[in-house]
Amino acid sequence: MFDAPHSQVLRLIAAHAVNTPDKVALVSGSRRVTYAQLAANVEGAAAYLHAHGIQPGDHILLSAQKELEFVYLYLGAHLLGVVNVVVDAAAPRERLDYIVGIVKPVALFGTAVDATGYNFTPFNEVTFDNTALDSKVLPSLKHTDVADVMFTTGTTGVPKGVYLSHANIAGSASNTNGFIGTCAHDIEALALPLSHSFGLGRLRCVLTVGATLVLVGNFANLKVFFNVIAQEHVTGFGMVPAVWQYIKRLSGKRIGQFADQLRYIEIGSAALPVEDKRLLMELFPHTRICMHYGLTEASRAMFCEFHESADNLESIGHPASNLVEVCILDDQGEPVADGIDGEICVRGNMVVSSYFLDTDNDGSFFGDWFRTGDWGHRGTDGCYYLTGRKKELINVGGEKVSPVTIERAITSLGVADCACIAIPDPNGVLGEVPKAFLLKGGVEIDIDELKQKLSQLLPPHEIPVQWEWVDELPRTSSGKIQRLKLKK
């Protein structure tokens, strides 16, 4: 069995391969892989990479797909000390070109929608002969060495390459499992994309506790997803809020039939309306429904469990573990009092210490505090509350207004969805004022009536000055509104 002193994730998988060798680790269609087979294939993947001249410290690009071979290569690279650059197979060519151009991978695996000019090795052409890897080829690695480079899919600007160490990814898995309670008896359905930190993090969470992970293509075919839950006796899964809206729209409350079976659901990557949180609590009265707050750079920094936080569902919760610290700092990096908005800053075992490009580190840290770029405050109840992205705040005559606050008020009046941005005050008095983009498809209320109703919910300076109905709102692949793309 391989030895990986630098990687707690690999050490735990190896331990499961010894202690529960016949336990099923992965399910993909009709294929079932035990922990003993998983460990052997991870070692085989490392041997394959070494045999093809790939050295510790090299970067390889993995086009994330729900294939067993992707998992083997991903973990095998960690064993060999090779750095994974994980990308979405459906990523636009412009994004692929940018990532390849700056990380300069020595090999590319998988496929891409537009792979013209690139030499991808399909996963089904990679061989895992299970030959024991010669320990002499393994370098002396540290837990602080880089395991992955993940590129952000944020709401603004050019994607940033995030250096994730072996300690970072292990810390995130440990924190998450500690809060959610995933254990060896669980069977999880993974329909989230593996190209994002949420889905990849769920894979690591399940395998480190010795549970079973069922790979599901995606959530598009709910009949298939529901069948997997029933047939595989699934006890947990993760989803983003956009997926929940899809499930609710297409199947109503039918997912509630699994209430007595599902032990946990993890939600993250974007905001979820309070009414949807209450509906989930109603459908799953005994399920642990955990919503995380975090970024690729600080994965799962905080959690809110809906049933435990029934009285303050607006909160993003508490730090994920006692190894995670959260602080609200002002623009000079000084702490502010409870109830006062500032920048949410995080430090802990899962927080990165650097970006891929040195220039991206500028202004990203206050000492060892990572600056999330999110604006919020800590309440007197000890919970944390998110106001919005700092760059998206609207400065109305010196008052910082959160677009999220306005959007929640507008959607509470029946508008399908909306996004608010700052525009110059037409009267040249207040500096900035809000403009609202309203999504067609809900209650297309008259604007004058909408403004009148909003006056009962918001102070005058938070009521939008300009309004526009739109057919769609720009979003990231995980469902976050890209407000700055609405600025002309």
Side-chain angles (χ1 to χ4, degrees):
M1 189 58 57
F2 57 75
D3 182 31
H6 62 287
S7 170
Q8 184 187 30
V9 172
L10 291 178
R11 290 200 307 273
L12 289 170
I13 291 173
H16 300 318
V18 172
N19 299 325
T20 55
D22 298 326
K23 173 75 178 290
V24 175
L26 296 167
V27 177
S28 179
S30 61
R31 301 169 69 187
R32 288 176 133 68
V33 179
T34 66
Y35 270 94
Q37 292 169 331
L38 172 60
N41 282 317
V42 168
E43 194 165 357
Y48 171 90
L49 294 172
H50 176 70
H52 284 75
I54 298 173
Q55 301 295 315
D58 285 344
H59 293 69
I60 62 171
L61 187 137
L62 296 181
S63 178
Q65 293 162 267
K66 296 286 181 54
E67 296 185 26
L68 295 173
E69 291 76 12
F70 166 82
V71 180
Y72 304 154
L73 274 173
Y74 173 76
L75 296 172
H78 286 176
L79 179 59
L80 189 60
V82 172
V83 178
N84 291 308
V85 182
V86 183
V87 300
D88 186 350
R93 180 58 183 258
E94 180 183 11
R95 180 179 173 89
L96 179 62
D97 288 344
Y98 174 77
I99 292 172
V100 170
I102 66 170
V103 302
K104 297 177 174 54
V106 299
L108 299 86
F109 296 94
T111 187
V113 171
D114 182 2
T116 306
Y118 287 114
N119 184 24
F120 276 90
T121 299
F123 289 123
N124 60 11
E125 292 183 9
V126 178
T127 57
F128 308 96
D129 59 12
N130 297 339
T131 301
L133 185 68
D134 185 349
S135 60
K136 294 179 181 178
V137 309
L138 294 177
S140 177
L141 297 169
K142 303 184 297 295
H143 69 283
T144 52
D145 288 334
V146 178
D148 299 336
V149 178
M150 299 289 291
F151 279 80
T152 61
T153 55
T155 57
T156 65
V158 175
K160 295 179 179 180
V162 179
Y163 272 141
L164 293 170
S165 70
H166 293 282
N168 290 150
I169 63 176
S172 177
S174 176
N175 295 339
T176 303
N177 285 336
F179 186 90
I180 293 177
T182 308
C183 69
H185 301 296
D186 282 309
I187 301 170
E188 178 166 325
L190 180 63
L192 292 163
L194 289 171
S195 54
H196 297 288
S197 60
F198 190 178
L200 205 51
R202 287 311 313 159
L203 181 147
R204 294 189 295 258
C205 284
V206 172
L207 295 182
T208 52
V209 296
T212 298
L213 189 70
V214 184
L215 301 177
V216 184
N218 53 45
F219 290 97
N221 190 327
L222 288 182
K223 182 178 180 180
V224 169
F225 182 65
F226 287 176
N227 284 344
V228 167
I229 294 179
Q231 293 169 9
E232 298 290 345
H233 307 290
V234 166
T235 60
F237 71 94
M239 65 177 173
V240 297
V243 164
W244 167 243
Q245 300 300 339
Y246 177 75
I247 292 174
K248 184 175 65 171
R249 186 173 71 251
L250 267 65
S251 67
K253 297 182 178 181
R254 193 156 64 89
I255 195 172
Q257 67 185 293
F258 303 111
D260 294 333
Q261 179 178 327
L262 291 168
R263 287 202 326 109
Y264 64 87
I265 299 171
E266 184 181 358
I267 306 170
S269 299
L272 184 70
V274 169
E275 55 268 27
D276 282 304
K277 296 179 183 180
R278 297 201 183 281
L279 176 57
L280 283 164
M281 292 166 63
E282 174 191 325
L283 292 174
F284 300 100
H286 308 297
T287 301
R288 194 162 172 77
I289 310 171
C290 306
M291 187 157 191
H292 69 245
Y293 163 84
L295 303 87
T296 303
E297 300 93 329
S299 182
R300 275 85 154 190
M302 287 186 272
F303 273 100
C304 173
E305 201 288 313
F306 293 173
H307 295 293
E308 295 173 354
S309 304
D311 294 333
N312 56 351
L313 289 173
E314 294 281 3
S315 164
I316 55 175
H318 301 273
S321 79
N322 59 8
L323 297 177
V324 180
E325 297 179 81
V326 179
C327 191
I328 307 298
L329 304 178
D330 63 19
D331 289 338
Q332 286 71 49
E334 297 297 325
V336 301
D338 287 353
I340 303 299
D341 276 348
E343 187 170 3
I344 300 173
C345 298
V346 183
R347 64 184 177 191
N349 57 349
M350 76 303 174
V351 178
V352 301
S353 58
S354 176
Y355 285 104
F356 185 87
L357 296 178
D358 288 339
T359 52
D360 287 334
N361 290 320
D362 296 340
S364 296
F365 297 88
F366 280 134
D368 58 353
W369 288 102
F370 173 72
R371 303 177 63 181
T372 68
D374 284 330
W375 206 246
H377 62 272
R378 194 178 90 141
T380 54
D381 55 5
C383 294
Y384 289 84
Y385 295 82
L386 179 64
T387 303
R389 292 293 292 170
K390 185 177 179 182
K391 291 180 180 179
E392 295 172 350
L393 294 176
I394 306 167
N395 190 351
V396 183
E399 293 281 347
K400 291 180 178 177
V401 175
S402 165
V404 175
T405 301
I406 305 173
E407 291 158 5
R408 286 174 179 164
I410 292 173
T411 54
S412 74
L413 299 175
V415 175
D417 203 354
C418 70
C420 291
I421 64 169
I423 61 170
D425 179 9
N427 297 319
V429 176
L430 298 174
E432 295 179 339
V433 291
K435 175 179 179 178
F437 293 83
L438 311 177
L439 183 67
K440 299 175 183 177
V443 176
E444 295 198 14
I445 186 172
D446 178 77
I447 297 299
D448 287 335
E449 182 183 353
L450 186 57
K451 288 194 288 187
Q452 191 278 324
K453 290 183 176 180
L454 278 180
S455 67
Q456 307 301 312
L457 303 174
L458 300 172
H461 69 280
E462 293 186 3
I463 297 176
V465 170
Q466 291 186 8
W467 306 78
E468 183 177 338
W469 289 99
V470 295
D471 294 319
E472 62 179 354
L473 295 171
R475 292 182 178 274
T476 66
S477 57
S478 58
K480 297 176 185 175
I481 294 177
Q482 295 175 299
R483 295 180 184 87
L484 297 188
K485 282 195 172 183
L486 292 167
K487 293 194 173 186
K488 298 176 181 178

